[in-house]
Amino acid sequence: MGGRARFVLSFIVFPALLSFAWYSIFWFARHNGLRELVKALVKERSLPESSGILRTRYTGVQSIDRTLAVLTVFFWPTTDGSAPSLSLHTFVFAGAFGSAWALILLESWRQGNARTLPAIASIFGLVAQLFTFAISASLYCGLHLWFSPVSVQPKPERIVAPETVVRVLPFIFVVGYIIPCVGVILPTPGVISVDAKQVLIALWQPFPGYVSLLAFVAHLLLPHRYSSSISKRIALRIFYSASFWLAAITHAVGWGVALTSVLLPALFNEKIVHALHPREVFGVTWPSSDFRVTSLAEGVHVFLQWDFLIGCHAVLLWAAVQNALAQRRITGRVNWFGLATTVVGCETLFGPVAAAVHLMRLRDELLLQPVVRKEIRSRLNKRSSEVVARRR
């Protein structure tokens, strides 16, 4: 896969995904009535399916407070459990989004990406929160593929990241992402007040900044020591395992519940069994249709379905290309059949982002394998020399 292929992907394919994301998400939201509905709720200071009053003051800065109020209204139906199909879809989306962002944050710490655009992960994270995951992922993946030295010429030394950071990233995501996600779904008013929940939703928004800052602080404060390539590979395996299972488990649970509602509908309340049908949860409504929203939850669900579908597959395509580039670098050719089989099988069983994580893990293993083998041989030779010296 040479420069021409990277050019086509970076400047045609990913920009096309970005354009379609804008059309299917923002253009469609304006034409199906979602945008007007959100604006009306903000103007009335109302929360959907709630008697609470919308909070409109957080920082005292009007533009920021206005943005947070809009985001609070938008995300409210994803957190209150009033729409089962939206809640189940959000659960799957949350796992995939967290894993995808873990991959991007790791890329920002790669030695080969230092002082390049892919190193500024927090900026792309905030773009995802303000302008959707689909747009941010398409933008990041296209830029990474063209500007990142890791993509241009993948080498073992270029994919190395500080072992301390790699080891703490799973814990950072628990603190900076998973715990806040749990916080925003706490029920009101039984556990927290309506106002407190709005504050939690607002605080959750800049989570990419939280995890980036925590990673930087860990890099500064935690002790650094020389570590072998074997130790670094183990740290990467732990990171990839945590990221994989976050996406895979949420995917499996989401689809498991949806399919069970079809196969064993008697297990569910009659009022929600239809809402849990796979078509209702994961199906998409085409922007070219004359669809009009009848509730905020319905509009948000349609919005997030496209956001999820485009964003996740942008990351999967990027990971597949990274894997192919590494294969070309190490073996001189790309096993396209094996790559396609891995993508299809892994996505079907574990979801698109889990498949992307798996492909990136294979990429790293392939690039690090010669270095690790050399280190193992060096260790064995050293031990053999020590044994011979002792016998003498």
Side-chain angles (χ1 to χ4, degrees):
M1 181 175 287
R4 183 179 296 178
R6 287 194 305 108
F7 179 86
V8 170
L9 287 163
S10 297
F11 295 103
I12 298 178
V13 176
F14 282 113
L17 279 176
L18 191 152
S19 299
F20 184 69
W22 178 87
Y23 168 68
S24 61
I25 297 173
F26 287 108
W27 183 91
F28 195 26
R30 185 171 71 247
H31 284 76
N32 65 25
L34 174 62
R35 182 180 177 183
E36 289 73 16
L37 183 55
V38 171
K39 289 173 64 176
L41 288 167
V42 172
K43 184 177 181 180
E44 298 167 3
R45 296 190 64 189
S46 300
L47 289 168
E49 304 295 332
S50 172
S51 57
I53 298 174
L54 175 67
R55 185 186 181 101
T56 57
R57 185 177 177 84
Y58 293 93
T59 66
V61 180
Q62 187 175 2
S63 58
I64 296 177
D65 289 347
R66 171 75 179 181
T67 300
L68 290 174
V70 170
L71 291 172
T72 299
V73 167
F74 180 88
F75 282 104
W76 188 266
T78 69
T79 66
D80 66 356
S82 61
S85 57
L86 173 59
S87 297
L88 189 58
H89 184 270
T90 301
F91 174 75
V92 177
F93 197 165
F97 186 32
S99 293
W101 213 254
L103 281 181
I104 291 172
L105 184 58
L106 175 62
E107 283 300 308
S108 71
W109 285 95
R110 304 278 192 189
Q111 186 173 315
N113 287 328
R115 296 178 296 279
T116 65
L117 275 173
I120 317 174
S122 57
I123 298 299
F124 292 98
L126 295 176
V127 169
Q129 292 298 87
L130 294 173
F131 301 103
T132 73
F133 171 49
I135 285 178
S136 179
S138 300
L139 180 65
Y140 174 85
C141 293
L143 291 173
H144 183 284
L145 193 57
W146 187 253
F147 291 104
S148 170
V150 176
S151 293
V152 175
Q153 196 173 26
K155 295 180 179 180
E157 61 271 20
R158 288 184 173 177
I159 67 166
V160 171
E163 185 180 341
T164 300
V165 174
V166 177
R167 287 189 180 278
V168 301
L169 278 181
F171 303 100
I172 285 173
F173 267 83
V174 170
V175 173
Y177 180 68
I178 294 178
I179 291 178
C181 282
V182 173
V184 300
I185 64 172
L186 293 174
T188 60
V191 178
I192 58 173
S193 67
V194 171
D195 189 66
K197 183 161 186 167
Q198 293 181 72
V199 172
L200 289 176
I201 292 174
L203 288 173
W204 176 83
Q205 299 303 327
F207 91 86
Y210 302 155
V211 295
S212 294
L213 179 60
L214 287 171
F216 180 71
V217 171
H219 181 62
L220 286 180
L221 300 182
L222 295 179
H224 298 273
R225 61 183 177 82
Y226 171 78
S227 57
S228 65
S229 298
I230 297 173
S231 178
K232 290 176 180 177
R233 185 171 69 167
I234 291 172
L236 282 170
R237 285 178 173 179
I238 294 171
F239 165 82
Y240 281 125
S241 180
S243 302
F244 177 87
W245 288 113
L246 174 60
I249 290 173
T250 52
H251 172 84
V253 171
W255 275 95
V257 171
L259 292 173
T260 302
S261 72
V262 176
L263 300 175
L264 299 170
L267 297 177
F268 299 90
N269 188 303
E270 292 181 1
K271 296 180 180 179
I272 67 170
V273 66
H274 175 71
L276 297 178
H277 192 284
R279 180 181 59 253
E280 300 297 322
V281 178
F282 301 106
V284 293
T285 304
W286 285 98
S288 57
S289 69
D290 56 358
F291 169 80
R292 297 286 295 179
V293 300
T294 58
S295 68
L296 181 65
E298 183 183 40
V300 169
H301 194 180
V302 170
F303 185 103
L304 292 180
Q305 283 170 330
W306 281 113
D307 191 17
F308 172 81
L309 191 65
I310 298 171
C312 290
H313 285 89
V315 173
L316 177 57
L317 174 60
W318 167 72
V321 173
Q322 294 299 314
N323 187 283
L325 289 168
Q327 287 190 49
R328 176 74 70 183
R329 172 72 181 177
I330 299 300
T331 67
R333 65 184 185 86
V334 180
N335 181 359
W336 293 110
F337 177 77
L339 182 58
T341 302
T342 301
V343 168
V344 173
C346 217
E347 178 177 6
T348 302
L349 294 174
F350 305 110
V353 174
V357 173
H358 180 62
L359 289 172
M360 292 298 283
R361 183 188 69 80
L362 293 177
R363 190 277 304 264
D364 283 10
E365 292 279 350
L366 185 62
L367 289 173
L368 291 173
Q369 193 174 51
V371 179
V372 172
R373 284 178 177 174
K374 183 178 179 181
E375 189 171 298
I376 291 174
R377 284 196 299 268
S378 176
R379 288 187 179 186
L380 291 174
N381 291 335
K382 184 179 179 180
R383 289 179 183 177
S384 298
S385 299
E386 290 174 352
V387 170
V388 171
R390 287 172 186 172
R391 288 179 178 176
R392 290 179 179 175

